[in-house]
Amino acid sequence: DAGVIQSPRHEVTEMGQEVTLRCKPISGHDYLFWYRQTMMRGLELLIYFNNNVPIDDSGMPEDRFSAKMPNASFSTLKIQPSEPRDSAVYFCASSFLSGGVGEQFFGPGTRLTVL
Amino acid sequence: AQSVTQLDSQVPVFEEAPVELRCNYSSSVSVYLFWYVQYPNQGLQLLLKYLSGSTLVKSINGFEAEFNKSQTSFHLRKPSVHISDTAEYFCAVSDGGRRALTFGSGTRLQVQP
């Protein structure tokens, strides 16, 4: 398996622009997670899905952030409008529920820079 | 609510020396514990995990961690480190009911020749 795939790997945009990050989970995994990593706040969970349904979005910073999972093989995280403080590395991870807790497999991340 | 505390933000160590990376957690329920490693410019990879059973768990590359319920700790150890172990290490906890992980702030292990 190719693992979790994220695109783009790097994104540089200007404040106010819309940004869309994409994720393809590992085939057969039923959980998908979006995390954000910054120096100041470390790794933060933004939202996670189970069988394409959002379960917990309490980590989404504000209304400018939205995430969708239209099918089992694709998810997007959208920021509109983007702000400089959104600059971070965004990770997608997927897992398969096994024995109650599944190992999470992380993608390589998208490094977002908002100027 | 769960939380994870990694007491050391950076740990410099010489090659072939032993190392311990500390992790303490708080949770009101039974927990599952994980150590993830992040190499530069890469995503996180699972190093080892404790779900149940033996409190001492080991990875294939020589790391081990021991779950200590009374001290709410899950410290990571390696008796002899290599240059290639230089990375950031994250401790994480899950209560099982909420599938997402709560991560610590990370410890940067710097192995020097």
Side-chain angles (χ1 to χ4, degrees):
Chain A
D1 200 312
V4 176
I5 299 173
Q6 290 187 248
S7 64
R9 291 295 308 276
H10 302 273
E11 177 80 30
V12 180
T13 190
E14 293 188 347
M15 183 173 63
Q17 297 298 306
E18 177 179 296
V19 175
T20 299
L21 311 182
R22 297 173 176 79
C23 174
K24 177 179 169 55
I26 293 173
S27 176
H29 282 190
D30 56 352
Y31 282 85
L32 184 139
F33 306 83
W34 282 101
Y35 291 91
R36 178 172 67 176
Q37 185 178 38
T38 62
M39 290 292 292
M40 292 296 294
R41 300 173 68 90
L43 264 168
E44 304 173 276
L45 175 70
L46 299 177
I47 185 171
Y48 76 96
F49 296 82
N50 175 220
N51 291 324
N52 314 335
V53 176
I55 302 301
D56 184 349
D57 66 354
S58 59
M60 296 286 264
E62 47 198 275
D63 292 346
R64 296 185 298 107
F65 285 69
S66 62
K68 295 182 180 179
M69 192 165 185
N71 57 62
S73 59
F74 184 65
S75 177
T76 60
L77 178 67
K78 186 176 294 186
I79 309 173
Q80 166 65 20
S82 59
E83 297 183 2
R85 59 190 168 128
D86 301 330
S87 297
V89 180
Y90 291 81
F91 289 103
C92 175
S94 69
S95 72
F96 175 72
L97 181 58
S98 173
V101 180
E103 171 187 350
Q104 292 187 21
F105 293 82
F106 282 74
T110 295
R111 183 174 296 276
L112 173 65
T113 303
V114 183
L115 302 174
Chain B
Q2 305 163 101
S3 67
V4 178
T5 302
Q6 291 184 245
L7 297 168
D8 307 298
S9 60
Q10 294 188 61
V11 174
V13 63
F14 288 106
E15 194 172 18
E16 298 184 4
V19 70
E20 178 180 82
L21 307 184
R22 296 178 291 171
C23 172
N24 288 88
Y25 68 91
S26 67
S27 176
S28 58
V29 297
S30 297
V31 296
Y32 305 96
L33 294 156
F34 304 80
W35 276 100
Y36 279 81
V37 58
Q38 184 180 28
Y39 299 103
N41 299 313
Q42 295 187 25
L44 280 72
Q45 305 170 33
L46 181 68
L47 188 60
L48 45 75
K49 61 185 176 184
Y50 169 78
L51 302 182
S52 64
S54 172
T55 57
L56 182 65
V57 291
K58 299 183 179 184
S59 73
I60 59 173
N61 58 352
F63 283 94
E64 63 180 36
E66 186 157 20
F67 170 55
N68 188 320
K69 187 174 182 179
S70 62
Q71 297 187 9
T72 60
S73 67
F74 191 55
H75 301 330
L76 181 69
R77 302 182 181 94
K78 189 171 185 179
S80 175
V81 295
H82 301 287
I83 294 287
S84 59
D85 293 325
T86 294
E88 187 141 19
Y89 292 79
F90 292 90
C91 183
V93 63
S94 169
D95 66 7
R98 181 175 181 267
R99 300 292 182 240
L101 297 174
T102 299
F103 284 90
S105 55
T107 297
R108 186 171 299 278
L109 176 63
Q110 299 166 309
V111 181
Q112 304 164 6

XYZ file of all heavy atoms in Angstrom, chain B residues 9-89:
656
model
N 12.038 19.087 26.510
C 11.820 19.491 25.122
C 12.977 19.041 24.236
O 12.787 18.761 23.061
C 11.638 20.990 25.023
O 12.787 21.662 25.510
N 14.180 18.973 24.811
C 15.351 18.530 24.059
C 16.206 17.641 24.949
O 16.370 17.913 26.138
C 16.191 19.713 23.584
C 15.517 20.601 22.558
C 16.488 21.623 21.993
O 17.500 21.249 21.398
N 16.187 22.883 22.189
N 16.757 16.588 24.346
C 17.667 15.712 25.070
C 18.886 15.477 24.190
O 18.815 14.737 23.212
C 16.995 14.372 25.423
C 18.010 13.417 26.041
C 15.831 14.596 26.390
N 20.005 16.124 24.515
C 21.243 15.836 23.794
C 21.957 14.652 24.435
O 22.005 14.543 25.670
C 22.047 17.126 23.966
C 21.557 17.702 25.263
C 20.146 17.208 25.474
N 22.496 13.776 23.623
C 23.163 12.590 24.157
C 24.235 12.155 23.167
O 24.103 12.377 21.952
C 22.132 11.467 24.408
C 21.480 11.032 23.103
C 22.754 10.294 25.132
N 25.290 11.553 23.682
C 26.349 11.062 22.801
C 25.990 9.674 22.280
O 25.288 8.888 22.940
C 27.690 11.024 23.533
C 28.277 12.390 23.772
C 28.273 12.954 25.038
C 28.808 13.114 22.722
C 28.802 14.224 25.252
C 29.335 14.382 22.925
C 29.323 14.946 24.194
N 26.500 9.398 21.096
C 26.269 8.100 20.476
C 26.735 6.984 21.404
O 27.752 7.103 22.079
C 27.025 8.029 19.140
C 26.597 6.888 18.248
C 27.226 6.972 16.867
O 28.241 7.688 16.703
O 26.705 6.313 15.947
N 25.954 5.921 21.437
C 26.184 4.713 22.242
C 25.856 4.900 23.718
O 25.957 3.947 24.498
C 27.604 4.168 22.059
C 27.907 3.743 20.627
C 29.285 3.125 20.472
O 29.975 2.949 21.500
O 29.674 2.812 19.343
N 25.438 6.077 24.110
C 25.007 6.290 25.488
C 23.549 5.876 25.634
O 22.800 5.833 24.658
C 25.176 7.754 25.861
N 23.111 5.582 26.873
C 21.688 5.290 27.097
C 20.875 6.570 27.148
O 21.408 7.650 27.413
C 21.705 4.601 28.476
C 22.889 5.198 29.163
C 23.912 5.451 28.085
N 19.575 6.438 26.899
C 18.708 7.617 26.933
C 17.343 7.229 27.497
O 16.892 6.082 27.348
C 18.550 8.237 25.526
C 17.714 7.338 24.622
C 17.930 9.620 25.603
N 16.721 8.182 28.171
C 15.355 8.018 28.634
C 14.586 9.289 28.293
O 15.011 10.388 28.647
C 15.297 7.775 30.139
C 13.858 7.652 30.667
C 13.786 7.417 32.156
O 13.881 8.418 32.907
O 13.613 6.260 32.564
N 13.468 9.131 27.623
C 12.574 10.245 27.313
C 11.336 10.061 28.181
O 10.675 9.027 28.115
C 12.212 10.249 25.827
C 13.375 10.214 24.840
C 12.852 10.318 23.409
C 14.382 11.302 25.126
N 11.015 11.097 28.928
C 9.974 10.947 29.936
C 8.607 11.361 29.409
O 8.483 12.334 28.644
C 10.334 11.749 31.187
C 11.602 11.243 31.883
C 11.935 12.087 33.084
N 12.365 13.427 32.720
C 12.557 14.411 33.591
N 12.305 14.192 34.884
N 12.976 15.593 33.201
N 7.601 10.626 29.868
C 6.218 10.907 29.488
C 5.312 10.593 30.671
O 5.364 9.501 31.223
C 5.807 10.064 28.281
S 4.050 10.167 27.871
N 4.512 11.557 31.040
C 3.489 11.351 32.054
C 2.135 11.737 31.478
O 2.033 12.650 30.663
C 3.779 12.188 33.304
C 4.941 11.643 34.090
O 6.095 11.998 33.838
N 4.661 10.763 35.021
N 1.104 11.052 31.898
C -0.219 11.308 31.358
C -1.206 11.477 32.497
O -0.952 11.087 33.641
C -0.660 10.159 30.448
C -0.901 8.870 31.204
C -2.161 8.556 31.701
C 0.143 7.979 31.438
C -2.373 7.401 32.427
C -0.063 6.819 32.159
C -1.319 6.533 32.653
O -1.516 5.388 33.377
N -2.321 12.051 32.177
C -3.428 12.102 33.127
C -4.689 11.696 32.399
O -4.930 12.127 31.274
C -3.578 13.502 33.722
O -3.982 14.422 32.744
N -5.449 10.835 33.045
C -6.700 10.372 32.471
C -7.524 9.760 33.580
O -6.985 9.158 34.495
C -6.451 9.341 31.374
O -7.669 8.824 30.885
N -8.822 9.903 33.462
C -9.706 9.365 34.485
C -10.165 7.945 34.164
O -10.847 7.322 34.962
C -10.928 10.276 34.639
O -11.602 10.391 33.401
N -9.756 7.460 32.996
C -10.181 6.121 32.590
C -8.952 5.328 32.144
O -7.840 5.850 32.097
C -11.207 6.186 31.442
C -12.466 6.903 31.892
C -10.602 6.890 30.236
N -9.176 4.083 31.816
C -8.079 3.266 31.303
C -7.566 3.856 29.997
O -8.344 4.410 29.221
C -8.568 1.838 31.065
O -8.968 1.256 32.277
N -6.284 3.726 29.801
C -5.683 4.388 28.641
C -4.896 3.414 27.784
O -4.506 2.337 28.227
C -4.754 5.535 29.062
C -5.530 6.631 29.764
C -3.619 5.015 29.951
N -4.695 3.844 26.575
C -3.784 3.193 25.650
C -2.688 4.216 25.363
O -2.969 5.390 25.161
C -4.507 2.811 24.366
C -5.732 1.955 24.600
C -6.997 2.524 24.682
C -5.620 0.574 24.759
C -8.117 1.751 24.908
C -6.743 -0.209 24.981
C -7.988 0.381 25.059
O -9.096 -0.385 25.292
N -1.457 3.759 25.334
C -0.325 4.676 25.238
C 0.540 4.357 24.035
O 0.713 3.192 23.680
C 0.511 4.603 26.523
C -0.230 5.112 27.765
C 0.355 4.515 29.025
C -0.167 6.633 27.819
N 1.083 5.405 23.452
C 1.845 5.272 22.223
C 3.081 6.170 22.265
O 3.077 7.222 22.894
C 0.997 5.717 21.017
C -0.315 5.001 20.872
C -1.415 5.373 21.634
C -0.455 3.970 19.963
C -2.628 4.716 21.503
C -1.670 3.307 19.824
C -2.753 3.681 20.593
N 4.111 5.733 21.569
C 5.234 6.596 21.218
C 5.335 6.640 19.693
O 5.376 5.587 19.044
C 6.547 6.083 21.805
C 6.793 6.512 23.224
C 6.597 5.770 24.355
C 7.309 7.767 23.667
N 6.949 6.490 25.471
C 7.386 7.720 25.082
C 7.735 8.930 23.019
C 7.863 8.790 25.848
C 8.202 9.991 23.778
C 8.261 9.916 25.182
N 5.369 7.864 19.181
C 5.576 8.084 17.754
C 6.905 8.801 17.563
O 7.331 9.591 18.407
C 4.456 8.949 17.164
C 3.181 8.201 16.847
C 2.254 7.908 17.853
C 2.888 7.802 15.544
C 1.082 7.222 17.563
C 1.714 7.124 15.241
C 0.823 6.840 16.251
O -0.339 6.159 15.958
N 7.536 8.568 16.403
C 8.786 9.244 16.070
C 8.583 10.024 14.771
O 7.878 9.568 13.863
C 9.961 8.240 15.937
C 9.687 7.184 14.878
C 11.271 8.962 15.642
N 9.161 11.213 14.746
C 9.083 12.053 13.547
C 10.486 12.434 13.118
O 11.174 13.166 13.831
C 8.240 13.302 13.821
C 8.040 14.172 12.585
C 7.194 15.408 12.870
O 7.172 15.924 13.980
N 6.480 15.873 11.869
N 10.906 11.938 11.972
C 12.189 12.344 11.397
C 11.994 13.640 10.633
O 10.872 13.961 10.224
C 12.744 11.229 10.505
C 13.003 9.948 11.263
C 12.133 8.863 11.180
C 14.113 9.834 12.104
C 12.352 7.702 11.903
C 14.339 8.669 12.828
C 13.452 7.623 12.723
O 13.673 6.473 13.452
N 13.055 14.408 10.419
C 12.928 15.724 9.783
C 12.137 15.668 8.490
O 12.367 14.810 7.633
C 14.383 16.125 9.553
C 15.134 15.424 10.639
C 14.448 14.109 10.825
N 11.185 16.568 8.374
C 10.373 16.736 7.170
C 9.562 15.497 6.814
O 9.273 15.255 5.629
C 11.255 17.136 5.981
C 11.964 18.446 6.232
O 11.350 19.409 6.673
N 13.257 18.478 5.991
N 9.215 14.718 7.807
C 8.400 13.535 7.565
C 7.204 13.522 8.517
O 7.124 14.299 9.470
C 9.210 12.255 7.771
C 10.342 12.071 6.763
C 11.003 10.720 6.913
O 10.416 9.755 7.386
N 12.263 10.649 6.490
N 6.265 12.640 8.220
C 5.141 12.432 9.123
C 5.538 11.580 10.309
O 6.671 11.129 10.418
N 4.605 11.361 11.202
C 4.877 10.568 12.390
C 4.759 9.084 12.077
O 3.916 8.663 11.291
C 3.883 10.927 13.503
C 4.167 12.198 14.297
C 3.891 13.443 13.464
C 3.327 12.217 15.565
N 5.603 8.303 12.741
C 5.560 6.844 12.591
C 5.426 6.225 13.972
O 6.083 6.673 14.915
C 6.850 6.321 11.950
C 7.217 6.935 10.628
C 8.615 6.528 10.200
O 9.076 5.426 10.481
N 9.292 7.412 9.490
N 4.615 5.203 14.067
C 4.457 4.528 15.345
C 5.745 3.809 15.717
O 6.301 3.055 14.918
C 3.302 3.533 15.283
C 3.038 2.789 16.589
C 2.494 3.751 17.651
C 2.060 1.644 16.362
N 6.201 4.033 16.948
C 7.410 3.370 17.447
C 7.025 2.152 18.289
O 7.541 1.059 18.103
C 8.222 4.356 18.282
C 9.598 3.937 18.749
C 10.502 3.623 17.566
C 10.226 5.042 19.617
N 6.116 2.362 19.243
C 5.607 1.247 20.030
C 4.326 1.681 20.722
O 3.991 2.867 20.758
C 6.647 0.743 21.047
C 7.431 1.742 21.873
C 6.588 2.334 22.972
C 8.660 1.086 22.495
N 3.614 0.694 21.266
C 2.328 0.986 21.888
C 2.058 0.028 23.033
O 2.532 -1.102 23.042
C 1.199 0.874 20.856
C 1.056 -0.524 20.248
C 0.012 -0.532 19.141
C -0.047 -1.912 18.472
N -0.973 -1.936 17.329
N 1.294 0.538 23.996
C 0.792 -0.295 25.072
C -0.738 -0.273 25.001
O -1.355 0.788 25.113
C 1.253 0.207 26.450
C 0.520 -0.496 27.570
C 0.877 -1.788 27.940
C -0.556 0.108 28.206
C 0.174 -2.460 28.923
C -1.258 -0.556 29.196
C -0.892 -1.830 29.547
O -1.594 -2.503 30.519
N -1.311 -1.454 24.835
C -2.769 -1.568 24.835
C -3.248 -2.342 26.057
O -4.234 -1.964 26.710
C -3.246 -2.250 23.544
C -2.850 -1.570 22.233
C -3.425 -2.321 21.039
C -3.299 -0.117 22.205
N -2.576 -3.438 26.352
C -2.918 -4.255 27.513
C -1.821 -5.297 27.680
O -0.889 -5.374 26.882
C -4.278 -4.937 27.326
O -4.216 -5.846 26.248
N -1.906 -6.096 28.742
C -0.953 -7.182 28.931
C 0.340 -6.709 29.551
O 0.338 -5.863 30.453
N 1.453 -7.228 29.067
C 2.756 -6.893 29.638
C 2.986 -5.396 29.622
O 2.749 -4.723 28.614
C 3.869 -7.584 28.845
O 5.137 -7.125 29.272
N 3.454 -4.889 30.747
C 3.645 -3.440 30.849
C 4.920 -2.972 30.157
O 5.119 -1.776 29.977
C 3.693 -3.013 32.325
O 4.744 -3.739 32.985
C 2.362 -3.285 33.012
N 5.783 -3.889 29.780
C 7.006 -3.537 29.059
C 6.806 -3.870 27.584
O 6.561 -5.011 27.218
C 8.200 -4.307 29.618
C 9.559 -3.991 28.979
C 9.957 -2.552 29.272
C 10.620 -4.962 29.470
N 6.919 -2.858 26.750
C 6.748 -3.062 25.316
C 8.021 -2.625 24.605
O 8.717 -1.711 25.056
C 5.536 -2.290 24.768
C 4.250 -2.895 25.306
C 5.598 -0.807 25.139
N 8.303 -3.302 23.483
C 9.563 -3.051 22.789
C 9.337 -2.809 21.311
O 8.394 -3.338 20.711
C 10.505 -4.250 22.975
C 10.854 -4.534 24.431
C 11.850 -5.675 24.562
C 12.205 -5.911 26.027
N 13.239 -6.958 26.201
N 10.243 -2.010 20.725
C 10.201 -1.784 19.281
C 11.273 -2.628 18.606
O 12.155 -3.180 19.269
C 10.430 -0.296 18.974
O 11.793 0.046 19.195
N 11.225 -2.668 17.298
C 12.184 -3.503 16.568
C 13.566 -2.873 16.520
O 14.536 -3.543 16.214
C 11.689 -3.770 15.132
C 11.495 -2.454 14.373
C 10.400 -4.587 15.145
C 11.181 -2.665 12.903
N 13.675 -1.590 16.811
C 14.980 -0.941 16.719
C 15.578 -0.622 18.085
O 16.359 0.313 18.233
C 14.901 0.333 15.869
C 13.909 1.337 16.407
O 13.168 1.046 17.335
N 13.902 2.526 15.842
N 15.192 -1.402 19.096
C 15.888 -1.325 20.375
C 15.277 -0.422 21.439
O 15.771 -0.360 22.557
N 14.235 0.314 21.104
C 13.562 1.129 22.110
C 12.604 0.268 22.935
O 12.083 -0.734 22.451
C 12.771 2.263 21.448
C 13.612 3.405 20.984
C 14.077 3.468 19.679
C 13.939 4.449 21.848
C 14.870 4.522 19.238
C 14.711 5.512 21.417
C 15.175 5.542 20.110
N 12.378 0.687 24.153
C 11.380 0.035 24.982
C 10.722 1.077 25.879
O 11.288 2.140 26.147
C 11.990 -1.077 25.841
C 13.023 -0.613 26.846
C 13.581 -1.777 27.648
O 13.749 -2.886 27.097
O 13.860 -1.563 28.842
N 9.505 0.767 26.311
C 8.791 1.667 27.206
C 8.024 0.822 28.211
O 7.570 -0.281 27.895
C 7.833 2.565 26.432
N 7.894 1.350 29.399
C 7.193 0.627 30.450
C 6.017 1.435 30.961
O 6.164 2.603 31.351
C 8.134 0.289 31.606
C 7.481 -0.593 32.668
C 8.482 -1.362 33.481
O 9.664 -0.957 33.517
O 8.083 -2.385 34.085
N 4.855 0.818 30.944
C 3.648 1.442 31.460
C 3.646 1.300 32.976
O 3.722 0.188 33.502
C 2.416 0.768 30.862
C 1.115 1.159 31.498
C 0.745 2.492 31.587
C 0.249 0.193 31.993
C -0.467 2.859 32.160
C -0.963 0.554 32.567
C -1.318 1.885 32.655
N 3.591 2.418 33.673
C 3.538 2.419 35.127
C 2.271 3.130 35.562
O 2.200 4.361 35.555
C 4.785 3.110 35.702
C 4.885 2.964 37.213
O 3.883 3.051 37.915
N 6.081 2.735 37.711
N 1.272 2.334 35.928
C -0.041 2.909 36.231
C -0.004 3.764 37.494
O -0.630 4.828 37.542
C -1.064 1.787 36.388
C -2.496 2.272 36.527
C -3.472 1.122 36.534
C -4.905 1.620 36.628
N -5.878 0.504 36.605
N 0.737 3.325 38.490
C 0.754 4.069 39.758
C 1.426 5.432 39.597
O 1.058 6.395 40.274
C 1.472 3.259 40.839
O 2.828 3.043 40.475
N 2.399 5.512 38.704
C 3.084 6.782 38.462
C 2.562 7.489 37.218
O 3.083 8.548 36.855
C 4.598 6.540 38.340
C 5.223 5.994 39.624
C 6.738 5.923 39.554
O 7.353 6.422 38.620
N 7.349 5.291 40.544
N 1.559 6.916 36.595
C 0.982 7.449 35.339
C 2.094 7.865 34.379
O 2.127 9.012 33.887
C 0.014 8.621 35.603
O 0.709 9.701 36.270
C -1.151 8.171 36.452
N 2.991 6.935 34.137
C 4.118 7.247 33.250
C 4.266 6.182 32.166
O 3.788 5.050 32.309
C 5.418 7.356 34.050
O 5.782 6.091 34.577
N 4.942 6.576 31.112
C 5.220 5.672 29.989
C 6.536 6.155 29.373
O 6.604 6.605 28.244
C 4.070 5.726 28.981
C 4.108 4.656 27.912
C 4.176 3.313 28.240
C 4.039 5.006 26.569
C 4.191 2.336 27.262
C 4.048 4.027 25.568
C 4.126 2.700 25.926
N 7.602 6.036 30.116
C 8.907 6.540 29.687
C 9.517 5.645 28.614
O 9.401 4.425 28.658
C 9.869 6.634 30.873
C 9.389 7.528 31.987
N 8.585 8.625 31.765
C 9.611 7.483 33.326
C 8.321 9.219 32.911
N 8.928 8.550 33.875
N 10.208 6.281 27.690
C 10.847 5.583 26.566
C 12.342 5.482 26.840
O 12.964 6.475 27.220
C 10.599 6.361 25.272
C 11.171 5.781 23.979
C 10.428 4.501 23.593
C 11.074 6.799 22.839
N 12.911 4.311 26.610
C 14.330 4.106 26.905
C 15.014 3.368 25.764
O 14.380 2.626 25.016
C 14.512 3.281 28.188
C 13.890 3.876 29.422
C 14.177 3.011 30.646
N 13.560 3.557 31.841
C 12.366 3.208 32.314
N 11.657 2.278 31.668
N 11.872 3.763 33.398
N 16.313 3.621 25.657
C 17.146 2.839 24.762
C 18.524 2.745 25.405
O 19.073 3.767 25.812
C 17.240 3.469 23.369
C 17.913 2.564 22.349
C 17.810 3.095 20.931
C 18.402 2.084 19.941
N 18.320 2.538 18.532
N 19.076 1.543 25.497
C 20.348 1.383 26.201
C 21.541 1.973 25.465
O 22.541 2.320 26.091
C 20.480 -0.136 26.358
C 19.596 -0.714 25.311
C 18.494 0.262 25.080
N 21.444 2.089 24.127
C 22.580 2.595 23.361
C 22.041 3.239 22.082
O 21.515 2.546 21.216
C 23.537 1.444 23.022
O 24.586 1.889 22.188
N 22.175 4.546 21.981
C 21.564 5.248 20.845
C 22.549 5.371 19.681
O 23.769 5.342 19.864
C 21.057 6.652 21.238
C 19.926 6.534 22.237
C 22.190 7.526 21.782
N 21.964 5.544 18.490
C 22.752 5.754 17.278
C 22.445 7.130 16.711
O 21.399 7.716 17.005
C 22.397 4.683 16.242
C 22.632 3.298 16.727
N 23.894 2.745 16.869
C 21.764 2.338 17.128
C 23.783 1.508 17.325
N 22.506 1.232 17.507
N 23.326 7.590 15.865
C 23.113 8.886 15.201
C 21.747 8.894 14.508
O 21.029 9.897 14.529
C 24.215 9.167 14.173
C 25.570 9.342 14.857
C 23.869 10.410 13.338
C 25.726 10.651 15.598
N 21.369 7.771 13.932
C 20.119 7.680 13.179
C 18.876 7.796 14.054
O 17.770 7.924 13.533
C 20.064 6.364 12.403
O 20.154 5.263 13.297
N 19.045 7.753 15.361
C 17.905 7.928 16.276
C 17.549 9.397 16.471
O 16.546 9.719 17.119
C 18.207 7.296 17.642
C 18.325 5.785 17.577
O 17.584 5.169 16.774
O 19.162 5.224 18.321
N 18.345 10.285 15.930
C 18.061 11.719 16.028
C 16.728 12.012 15.364
O 16.532 11.754 14.172
C 19.173 12.539 15.349
O 20.390 12.369 16.079
C 18.799 14.023 15.321
N 15.788 12.519 16.145
C 14.418 12.746 15.675
C 13.635 13.383 16.806
O 14.156 13.586 17.902
C 13.757 11.425 15.269
N 12.371 13.669 16.522
C 11.484 14.147 17.569
C 10.555 12.999 17.958
O 10.050 12.274 17.093
C 10.666 15.352 17.111
C 9.845 15.979 18.221
C 9.812 17.498 18.153
O 10.113 18.051 17.089
O 9.485 18.133 19.190
N 10.352 12.838 19.252
C 9.576 11.729 19.775
C 8.351 12.275 20.510
O 8.450 13.167 21.350
C 10.433 10.873 20.722
C 11.535 10.145 19.996
C 12.703 10.823 19.626
C 11.409 8.811 19.626
C 13.713 10.173 18.931
C 12.413 8.155 18.932
C 13.563 8.841 18.585
O 14.561 8.203 17.894
